[in-house]
């Protein structure tokens, strides 16, 4: 997302300057990994605690762009972000298809057959729903 025109015209920055890209989540989130894939390593990321604060960060010039999920091939549309696009004067200026790979983690020595409950972010659970149902 950007508030000032086409994505291509804002990717180039003067030598020594870094683009600042906002995203919803904590450092290490999939959105931050998608930023690195799309923009490369020479950017600064700005984690935001909500989608709305991410939009506000672009509007208030705390960051140059924001990267936010709009569609998810397994979880469906991210309706909150469509609503935010209608409420804010920002434009979609680029797209990335980013593969998310979830992992089932347990304490050392725990067998998969011993796991009876999975706890995660609701979006991650939605993305893994088919696998978890097959697994039982």
């Amino acid at each position: 997302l950007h508030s000032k025109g086409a994505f291509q015209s804002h990717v180039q920055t003067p030598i020594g300057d870094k683009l600042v890209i906002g995203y919803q989540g904590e450092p290490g989130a999939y959105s931050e990994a998608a930023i690195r894939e799309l923009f490369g390593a020479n950017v600064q990321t700005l984690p935001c605690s909500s989608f709305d604060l991410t939009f506000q960060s672009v509007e208030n010039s705390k960051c140059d762009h924001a990267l936010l999920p709009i569609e998810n091939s397994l979880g469906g549309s991210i309706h909150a972000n469509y609503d935010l696009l209608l409420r804010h004067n920002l434009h979609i200026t680029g797209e990335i298809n980013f593969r998310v790979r979830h992992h089932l983690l347990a304490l050392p020595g725990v067998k998969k057959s011993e796991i009876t409950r999975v706890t995660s972010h609701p979006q991650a659970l939605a993305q893994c729903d088919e696998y978890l149902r097959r697994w039982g």
Side-chain angles (χ1 to χ4, degrees):
L1 299 175
H2 197 285
S3 62
K4 300 175 188 151
F7 171 77
Q8 291 79 9
S9 66
H10 293 282
V11 172
Q12 300 297 323
T13 59
I15 295 174
D17 289 346
K18 287 187 174 186
L19 284 173
V20 178
I21 314 297
Y23 67 97
Q24 185 278 322
E26 298 292 329
Y30 286 118
S31 290
E32 186 178 42
I35 288 169
R36 302 275 183 226
E37 186 172 307
L38 181 63
F39 291 94
N42 196 30
V43 296
Q44 181 179 336
T45 58
L46 177 68
C48 300
S49 61
S50 70
F51 291 131
D52 190 48
L53 286 175
T54 308
F55 274 77
Q56 289 176 34
S57 293
V58 178
E59 288 182 326
N60 297 331
S61 300
K62 291 181 181 176
C63 57
D64 301 299
H65 299 278
L67 186 137
L68 294 158
I70 297 293
E71 294 289 332
N72 183 300
S73 60
L74 296 174
S77 297
I78 314 299
H79 297 288
N81 288 339
Y82 279 110
D83 293 343
L84 288 166
L85 279 168
L86 294 173
R87 293 201 315 255
H88 293 269
N89 188 28
L90 299 180
H91 310 281
I92 295 173
T93 57
E95 178 179 6
I96 183 171
N97 290 311
F98 184 80
R99 183 173 176 125
V100 171
R101 296 178 189 262
H102 293 293
H103 301 273
L104 181 62
L105 304 176
L107 294 173
V110 174
K111 295 178 181 153
K112 189 174 168 184
S113 60
E114 297 173 321
I115 298 173
T116 59
R117 187 177 80 178
V118 176
T119 303
S120 187
H121 187 280
Q123 189 67 34
L125 290 172
Q127 292 168 351
C128 297
D129 184 64
E130 184 180 330
Y131 171 80
L132 292 172
R133 287 183 191 280
R134 273 195 326 245
W135 174 43

